[in-house]
């Protein structure tokens, strides 16, 4: 948003999208693949400690029984974000001012506050995961005794450096995000390798995609992991960041079909694939291992190291976990910056706006207070942040029905039913899940 896209390039892009709109599906999808981005950005944001924790513990403790959780959670998120993309691309308005004007100021600023609080709370498990992944990687390389807090401070310094380039150097941001993309896909490939080189009960895998809650085992509640997995798929801060990422690319009406494809190819597919492979790999390798709330990352890395290679396998897994945490940490900070921009009227990329990105920094202290929980800290924090989602869904539902906001672009017929129904179902699932969790 600080450096808008080149007008000539954007105009050529829109002309191509108009042509693709009437092309056969296969040709249209191939054309769309050149432009996907915002959906992948959200996938990178949600592939963090919450997904890692819920997937690892689900597989290690309950085998394949909870494979359904991540795809269901992301599908609900895709339905909601499809409505959000239609609203944003039809009007070109920033989400918080639009919600304050066309829904209600209390809902808009409640949404903003929830997104900021969630970004701060979720920072703690990200630093826990990043710190202990670094410690384990250092141990693999022969460096024993690296203090978790020292690793966390290193991650903090790196995150602060990254936060300063957002709004200043789009080229460096693209290079950084491309590197994270390759590392995350590296761990997906490694997990696929593990799946192909371990015994997999494919019948049980298919049954695992049928929603059910197995009996609690070994001090773990299946309901907790299911609720955390659904809440980890789409967070309230993602719902705030997504429409800004669309506008930052200069997308408009011509991009509505592309946005729907982007959510499927850039968000649903990578997330469902990565989380499912993590559950299956954990079930295949850790199913017979005595797992507890403090050792999942180290044991998973060790077992995968035995399958892939004692050094390479462990390092790839640890670096993959680190990349997942770093991408999420960075985007949480960006989200806080957007809230500050709207709340205080700060120019995007200004010094004060970038300083507000540092609000979640206390999360680096997680290893000091909850070091014994390692990755499990993400389970209770994800459940807490998931409870904030309904206020966002209420705001988008009101915008979806607002004539003054959407005008002639207000969806009707089947499209309107899918958009409104998707938001309603996503909201109800979260509310019912939270009520069941705390009942």
């Amino acid at each position: 948003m600080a450096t808008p896209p080149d007008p000539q390039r954007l105009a050529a892009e829109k002309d191509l999208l108009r042509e693709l709109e009437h092309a056969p599906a296969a040709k249209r999808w191939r054309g769309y693949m050149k432009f996907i981005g915002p959906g992948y950005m959200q996938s990178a944001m949600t592939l963090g400690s919450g997904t890692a924790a819920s997937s690892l513990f689900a597989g290690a403790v309950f085998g394949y029984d909870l494979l359904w959780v991540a795809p269901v959670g992301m599908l609900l998120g895709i339905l909601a974000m499809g409505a959000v993309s239609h609203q944003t691309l039809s009007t070109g308005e920033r989400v918080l001012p639009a919600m304050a004007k066309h829904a209600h100021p209390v809902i808009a600023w409640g949404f903003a506050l929830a997104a900021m609080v969630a970004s701060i709370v979720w920072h703690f498990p990200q630093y826990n995961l990043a710190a202990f992944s670094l410690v384990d990687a250092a141990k693999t390389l022969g460096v024993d005794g690296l203090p978790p807090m020292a690793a966390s401070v290193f991650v903090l310094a790196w995150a602060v450096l990254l936060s300063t380039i957002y709004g200043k150097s789009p080229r460096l941001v693209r290079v950084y995000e491309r590197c994270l993309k390759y590392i995350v896909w590296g761990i997906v490939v490694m997990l696929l390798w593990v799946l192909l080189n371990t015994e997999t009960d494919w019948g049980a895998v298919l049954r695992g995609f049928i929603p059910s809650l197995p009996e609690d085992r070994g001090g773990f509640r299946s309901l907790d992991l299911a609720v955390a997995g659904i809440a980890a798929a789409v967070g309230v801060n993602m719902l705030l960041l997504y429409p800004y990422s669309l506008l930052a690319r200069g997308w408009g009406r011509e991009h509505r079909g592309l946005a729907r494809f982007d959510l499927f190819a850039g968000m649903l597919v990578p997330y469902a694939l990565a989380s499912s492979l993590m559950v299956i790999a954990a079930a295949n390798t850790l199913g017979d291992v005595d797992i507890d709330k403090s050792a999942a990352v180290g044991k998973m890395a060790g077992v995968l190291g035995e399958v892939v290679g004692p050094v390479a396998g462990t390092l790839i897994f640890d670096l993959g976990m680190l990349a997942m945490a770093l991408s999420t940490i960075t985007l949480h900070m960006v989200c806080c910056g957007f809230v500050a921009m709207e709340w205080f009227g700060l120019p995007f990329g200004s010094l004060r706006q970038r300083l507000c990105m540092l609000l979640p920094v206390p999360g680096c202290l997680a290893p000091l207070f909850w070091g014994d929980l390692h990755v499990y800290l993400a389970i209770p924090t994800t459940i807490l942040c998931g409870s904030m989602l309904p206020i966002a869904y209420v705001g988008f539902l009101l915008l979806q029905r607002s004539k003054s906001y959407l005008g002639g672009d207000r969806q009707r017929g089947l499209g309107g039913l899918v958009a409104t129904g998707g938001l309603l179902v996503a909201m109800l699932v979260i509310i019912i899940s939270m009520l069941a969790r705390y009942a």
Side-chain angles (χ1 to χ4, degrees):
M1 295 180 76
T3 53
D6 178 66
Q8 291 183 341
R9 182 192 61 79
L10 189 59
E13 181 177 300
K14 290 180 178 181
D15 289 339
L16 177 59
L17 290 174
R18 291 189 193 100
E19 294 178 13
L20 290 174
E21 189 175 348
H22 304 289
K27 181 180 179 180
R28 184 166 66 251
W29 295 342
R30 285 197 303 270
Y32 283 167
M33 286 299 296
K34 301 176 184 178
F35 303 111
I36 62 172
Y40 198 94
M41 184 179 182
Q42 303 310 309
S43 184
M45 185 175 185
T46 195
L47 277 173
S49 65
T51 299
S54 56
S55 298
L56 288 176
F57 286 113
V61 179
F62 298 102
Y64 309 128
D65 291 344
L66 294 178
L67 269 170
W68 60 272
V69 171
V72 166
M74 183 53 73
L75 182 59
L76 292 171
I78 292 296
L79 290 173
M81 295 178 83
V84 174
S85 70
H86 178 83
Q87 294 174 12
T88 302
L89 298 178
S90 296
T91 64
E93 295 187 35
R94 301 199 308 273
V95 61
L96 288 177
M99 197 173 286
K101 179 180 179 181
H102 300 285
H104 197 281
V106 172
I107 294 175
W109 301 119
F111 176 27
L113 182 61
M116 181 176 285
V117 170
S119 297
I120 294 171
V121 170
W122 252 323
H123 240 53
F124 287 90
Q126 309 303 331
Y127 275 100
N128 239 17
L129 176 62
F132 285 98
S133 296
L134 271 179
V135 169
D136 194 60
K139 185 177 179 181
T140 303
L141 294 174
V143 181
D144 289 324
L146 176 65
M149 268 307 301
S152 186
V153 170
F154 173 80
V155 174
L156 170 64
W158 184 244
V160 170
L161 175 64
L162 291 172
S163 72
T164 62
I165 68 175
Y166 271 88
K168 292 186 69 176
S169 178
R171 184 178 64 84
L172 288 178
V173 171
R174 283 194 297 271
V175 170
Y176 160 69
E177 291 178 347
R178 191 174 297 121
C179 290
L180 291 181
K181 181 188 299 186
Y182 293 149
I183 294 173
V184 171
W185 276 107
I187 194 172
V188 169
V189 172
M190 188 189 71
L191 290 170
L192 181 60
W193 175 263
V194 172
L195 185 148
L196 295 174
N197 287 274
T198 53
E199 186 176 346
T200 303
D201 185 344
W202 291 106
V205 167
L206 292 177
R207 291 191 297 273
F209 287 103
I210 301 173
S212 65
L213 287 176
E215 293 183 2
D216 298 343
R217 300 172 195 165
F220 291 87
R221 294 183 63 195
S222 61
L223 179 60
D224 285 354
L225 294 181
V227 173
I230 291 173
V234 175
V236 64
N237 44 9
M238 284 176 61
L239 285 171
L240 185 138
L241 187 61
Y242 177 61
Y244 284 102
S245 67
L246 295 175
L247 296 176
R249 283 176 171 259
W251 285 17
R253 292 173 181 273
E254 297 85 356
H255 295 79
R256 290 187 295 196
L258 170 61
R260 290 191 293 270
F261 178 83
D262 178 55
L263 286 172
F264 173 79
M267 187 172 173
L268 176 62
V269 172
Y271 181 84
L273 182 61
S275 57
S276 298
L277 285 175
M278 201 174 298
V279 172
I280 296 172
N284 289 358
T285 57
L286 296 178
D288 297 324
V289 177
D290 183 20
I291 201 78
D292 57 47
K293 297 179 180 179
S294 65
V297 171
K299 287 188 177 181
M300 186 71 172
V303 173
L304 292 182
E306 294 176 7
V307 177
V308 180
V311 176
T314 302
L315 284 178
I316 292 173
F317 182 80
D318 287 332
L319 290 177
M321 293 293 105
L322 177 62
M324 289 167 67
L326 270 175
S327 62
T328 306
I329 285 172
T330 307
L331 293 175
H332 284 174
M333 297 171 79
V334 173
C335 180
C336 287
F338 274 120
V339 173
M341 177 186 77
E342 300 289 18
W343 214 318
F344 302 113
L346 303 177
F348 183 80
S350 65
L351 176 61
R352 288 187 297 168
Q353 193 262 350
R354 291 199 301 274
L355 287 175
C356 289
M357 291 183 182
L358 305 182
L359 286 171
V361 160
C364 72
L365 299 176
L368 186 63
F369 297 103
W370 298 285
D372 58 329
L373 291 180
H374 290 209
V375 70
Y376 189 81
L377 179 62
I379 299 298
T381 52
T382 298
I383 293 173
L384 174 62
C385 294
S387 65
M388 305 178 193
L389 269 169
I391 190 169
Y393 287 135
V394 168
F396 286 118
L397 272 169
L398 292 175
L399 289 180
Q400 187 68 22
R401 306 309 303 162
S402 173
K403 293 181 180 179
S404 63
Y405 175 57
L406 288 173
D409 291 301
R410 195 161 66 109
Q411 292 169 291
R412 296 175 176 83
L414 181 60
L417 181 63
V418 170
T420 303
L423 287 166
L424 276 172
V425 170
M427 181 175 67
L428 289 175
V429 168
I430 285 293
I431 292 174
I432 293 170
S433 299
M434 292 299 165
L435 290 175
R437 165 64 179 78
Y438 291 109

